[in-house]
Amino acid sequence: MKPPTVPRRRAAVIVLFVLAAVLGLTHPAALAAPRSAPRAAALDLRDAATSAKPLDLENPRQNFLRNSVGGLFLHWGLRTAPAHTDCAAWEKDVTNGGWSPDYWVKEAQKLHTQYLVLASFHSRLGYARAWPSKIPGSCSTKRDFLGELITAAKAKGLKVILYMTDDPQWHAEGGHEWLDSAAYSAYKGKNVDLTTRDGFGQFSYDNFFEVMDRYPDLGGFWIDNDNAYWESNNLYAQIYQKRPNYTLSNNNEDTPIMDMISNEQKTGMTPAYDYPQAVYTAQPRLTEADFKLPSTGAWWYDGSDPSVDKMLTLGRLVTNAGSSVKALMAETAQVNGKFPANQAAFNTFANSYLAPIWESLHGTEGGGYMYGGLKPGFWNDGAHGVTTIAKTDPNRQYIHVLTPPSTGTLRVRDNGYRIASVTNLRTGAAVSWSQSGGVLTLTGLGNWDPYDTVFKVTAAGRQGILSGVKVSASASAGGHPGSAAGDGDYRTYWDSNKTLPVDLTFDLGSAKKVQYLGLNQREDSVAYARSDTEQSARIKDYKVYLSADGSTWGSPVKTGQLPSRRGIQGIDLTAASARYVRLEVDSTWAASTDTTRYQRLRIDEAWVGTSYATPAKRGQS
């Protein structure tokens, strides 16, 4: 496994450096001082340090990641079996074994990924630098493996991201000392102990700049934990200044200055493949799921050839795409770069399997969240899956059935879309369907694909969703008023300021029929109770009231409990007429032991449906 996450030292001064750096990105002259002399600026940190919305949220440098479905993660270094302790001997065996960058690029293309992450400078892989370095301190090759890979990937339209660690704790892993403090100390002209976090921070800091100088076409850095030396020396802001096209990703912590957070190997979900249930960062924050393809063994090649679970792996890939989460799939390259037989076979299988359904994964966003689309998740009769929606055409959508229903019928909430046609994407065959009561029903189904049955759904716009509704709340956190839940902008949200019970009131402007409420809760917490200290910050018990004047409410017209699940939730009503609608939230799912999420409630968007959508065409029979 990769080293465990190390607790951060987030002193206020460090936050100040980071925020000053981000805010100064559009003014290079005001950016960080030279590496050895970082300087701070006077900033108002009242909300910035705790804001759930990262600064510089959708920078153009992120476009290649946002347009990606996933990447290939390559853990490959000195401790790849058979382990080497001599850098020259390792390099010789790599070259004599026939290592070729084109092989990795082709395997990445088979997996239908758009980027590669090379993890050789890894704390448990011997801190090997697979490029010529003038900085002594750990293994460095004479052959430029990194440069060759960048060039080969660029020729095929892919990018390479370099893994960087801050962690010296495994410096003697396997009984060998991998770091050379004496050589680095001589190079720096002062005593530096690389086995300490500060010393290693200096060494790795220098390597960031050497890499930036050498590789302008690198895609960016994938950083496994932070280092106080980096932060106090304004490293990240300097990276953005020197290489504006680089992206920065951080493993397991949502650090605002980073472009992306990666969630490492989460398990315990039901279904097991539904990785996004464990993701705790809200869109449009770039989020990545990082998981191994080998069913057992280390993150790097340990001499074994474990199987690859097709259902688990494909399920993770598809459910991630169905949540706009990037899938970083780790494979264990051998010393010569080749993958063990089972992983190589899976790549070949994935190439042919994904091609016929690729339009449903690439160029799409996750459906049923902030981008619109049919409702994903748990459907009828044990069925489960996700939906995707085309970025360029909201009327082109896809239903991915990963766990089929026990019957030949599938029912999916339509979220107000008028359905025009449904076909099986793999076969092109028309599918029998009907639409009523807010539900799209597919019938006569069978011959389910063992991993992902995909239905292509063509819609003709949305119907019955009321516009111009004014939304207010009985309690709100600063900067996140109730009106944000009805402004049509999914980048803003209402925060109840941990107040329960709490009301969200809709003013329709005049009396109108009220058929249902639609709720898109913010996806910034897990959706299953992993422990008492990590539970869902979603609505549990609720009541709905109607009023003609906004003063007299009477008894609730609907009481109930929403499931602790991701995606859009609908509350169906009796189609009575009213000008005002009030949603009272009495409890949320998080327990009092979960101090972060207890009583927390955030809603991206909420709306009133005055009628259910009607089909644009008659369903197939």
Side-chain angles (χ1 to χ4, degrees):
M1 289 291 292
K2 286 179 280 185
T5 301
V6 178
R8 314 289 156 77
R9 292 163 293 198
R10 298 275 177 191
V13 67
I14 294 176
V15 175
L16 181 66
F17 285 134
V18 173
L19 292 169
V22 181
L23 293 174
L25 285 177
T26 57
H27 304 284
L31 242 167
R35 303 176 204 172
S36 59
R39 60 187 173 91
L43 292 175
D44 183 355
L45 299 179
R46 285 174 296 177
D47 186 57
T50 57
S51 174
K53 180 180 178 183
L55 301 172
D56 212 22
L57 193 60
E58 297 187 66
N59 192 289
R61 67 174 173 264
Q62 302 167 3
N63 287 344
F64 88 90
L65 280 174
R66 291 191 178 277
N67 292 329
S68 298
V69 173
L72 172 59
F73 207 177
L74 299 159
H75 291 74
W76 178 76
L78 282 170
R79 299 196 68 244
T80 296
H84 293 70
T85 56
D86 179 78
C87 199
W90 176 59
E91 179 178 349
K92 180 179 178 181
D93 285 348
V94 171
T95 298
N96 291 345
W99 182 89
S100 166
D102 294 319
Y103 173 81
W104 278 350
V105 172
K106 289 177 182 176
E107 295 302 297
Q109 289 179 308
K110 289 180 181 178
L111 288 170
H112 284 63
T113 59
Q114 290 72 49
Y115 60 98
L116 303 94
V117 178
L118 178 61
S120 68
F121 189 66
H122 187 289
S123 54
R124 297 192 66 181
L125 274 168
Y127 303 93
R129 292 169 294 165
W131 64 90
S133 175
K134 295 180 180 179
I135 304 168
S138 72
C139 165
S140 174
T141 61
K142 290 183 170 56
R143 182 177 175 183
D144 192 356
F145 297 104
L146 174 60
E148 290 182 40
L149 182 60
I150 293 170
T151 300
K154 182 180 179 180
K156 298 297 183 180
L158 280 69
K159 288 202 175 189
V160 175
I161 296 173
L162 183 62
Y163 175 108
M164 297 289 278
T165 184
D166 85 306
D167 188 2
Q169 69 171 308
W170 304 101
H171 63 91
E173 178 82 348
H176 177 78
E177 178 56 64
W178 303 99
L179 299 176
D180 189 344
S181 296
Y184 184 69
S185 296
Y187 168 77
K188 296 291 285 187
K190 62 179 181 178
N191 185 48
V192 182
D193 184 354
L194 297 187
T195 68
T196 66
R197 294 187 67 81
D198 185 76
F200 190 83
Q202 295 180 53
F203 171 61
S204 51
Y205 180 91
D206 288 347
N207 275 273
F208 276 103
F209 286 93
E210 180 180 68
V211 167
M212 286 191 286
D213 288 338
R214 288 182 60 95
Y215 307 110
D217 290 331
L218 185 72
F221 295 111
W222 198 99
I223 297 171
D224 201 354
N225 300 327
D226 285 332
N227 186 286
Y229 183 88
W230 302 348
E231 293 173 316
S232 63
N233 282 274
N234 246 356
L235 172 63
Y236 306 138
Q238 292 189 77
I239 292 172
Y240 288 140
Q241 180 188 39
K242 186 176 181 67
R243 293 296 180 203
N245 293 326
Y246 277 22
T247 59
L248 294 177
S249 302
N250 196 295
N251 188 28
N252 284 330
E253 180 172 305
D254 193 2
T255 306
I257 195 171
M258 302 286 191
D259 294 298
M260 182 164 68
I261 172 178
S262 186
N263 294 260
E264 179 184 332
Q265 192 80 11
K266 308 302 182 185
T267 59
M269 291 73 69
T270 301
Y273 57 74
D274 191 16
Y275 198 123
Q277 286 190 54
V279 172
Y280 59 90
T281 44
Q283 300 289 333
R285 179 62 155 149
L286 260 173
T287 306
E288 181 183 65
D290 160 21
F291 56 93
K292 296 187 297 183
L293 270 61
S295 299
T296 58
W299 286 84
W300 51 90
Y301 181 66
D302 58 7
S304 64
D305 185 16
S307 62
V308 177
D309 186 326
K310 291 180 180 178
M311 179 70 238
L312 181 62
T313 299
L314 292 171
R316 283 172 166 173
L317 175 63
V318 172
T319 54
N320 286 329
S323 299
S324 300
V325 173
K326 312 308 169 186
L328 181 57
M329 297 177 282
E331 294 198 301
T332 60
Q334 300 172 77
V335 171
N336 64 0
K338 299 293 179 65
F339 296 118
N342 285 328
Q343 291 169 62
F346 176 81
N347 294 350
T348 300
F349 162 76
N351 190 34
S352 60
Y353 183 83
L354 293 172
I357 61 170
W358 190 232
E359 68 177 67
S360 69
L361 300 172
H362 190 243
T364 63
E365 296 284 4
Y369 301 98
M370 61 178 290
Y371 302 103
L374 303 171
K375 183 178 179 178
F378 294 88
W379 298 313
N380 61 289
D381 301 317
H384 183 273
V386 295
T387 67
T388 52
I389 180 169
K391 291 181 180 180
T392 57
D393 181 5
N395 287 316
R396 177 164 59 89
Q397 303 187 35
Y398 303 88
I399 301 172
H400 295 261
V401 184
L402 292 109
T403 300
S406 58
T407 65
T409 299
L410 182 71
R411 292 187 291 274
V412 178
R413 184 144 195 140
D414 62 32
N415 288 332
Y417 288 93
R418 302 186 68 210
I419 307 304
S421 67
V422 182
T423 57
N424 184 302
L425 182 58
R426 286 187 180 277
T427 66
V431 175
S432 296
W433 62 273
S434 61
Q435 182 182 16
S436 65
V439 176
L440 168 63
T441 302
L442 311 185
T443 56
L445 304 176
N447 298 318
W448 298 100
D449 184 272
Y451 310 116
D452 181 20
T453 303
V454 187
F455 298 109
K456 183 175 182 177
V457 178
T458 302
R462 302 181 83 177
Q463 179 182 20
I465 297 175
L466 195 60
S467 60
V469 176
K470 295 180 180 179
V471 184
S472 60
S474 60
S476 299
H480 302 287
S483 58
D487 62 4
D489 185 350
Y490 289 101
R491 292 170 297 181
T492 64
Y493 61 92
W494 166 55
D495 186 321
S496 71
N497 201 27
K498 289 192 172 182
T499 302
L500 289 177
V502 67
D503 298 334
L504 198 63
T505 301
F506 304 80
D507 180 356
L508 313 188
S510 61
K512 294 179 176 64
K513 186 174 73 170
V514 180
Q515 185 72 69
Y516 68 92
L517 290 179
L519 300 171
N520 191 339
Q521 299 177 81
R522 193 159 179 81
E523 300 296 327
D524 58 2
S525 74
V526 297
Y528 72 106
R530 180 154 42 200
S531 68
D532 286 344
T533 56
E534 190 173 18
Q535 297 188 63
S536 166
R538 291 175 176 81
I539 296 171
K540 188 177 183 182
D541 295 296
Y542 70 86
K543 299 183 183 76
V544 179
Y545 298 84
L546 302 180
S547 173
D549 58 8
S551 299
T552 304
W553 293 94
S555 300
V557 296
K558 183 72 175 286
T559 63
Q561 192 175 91
L562 290 180
S564 177
R565 290 175 181 168
R566 304 181 71 239
I568 289 172
Q569 300 293 331
I571 299 176
D572 295 300
L573 304 172
T574 55
S577 180
R579 173 174 173 173
Y580 297 91
V581 183
R582 175 166 289 172
L583 171 66
E584 176 186 302
V585 178
D586 296 318
S587 65
T588 56
W589 283 98
S592 59
T593 50
D594 185 347
T595 56
T596 299
R597 299 166 187 85
Y598 181 54
Q599 295 191 330
R600 192 177 81 186
L601 175 60
R602 294 168 174 172
I603 294 181
D604 281 323
E605 290 299 314
W607 62 92
V608 175
T610 60
S611 65
Y612 293 122
T614 56
K617 292 182 181 180
R618 192 176 219 175
Q620 298 292 325
S621 59

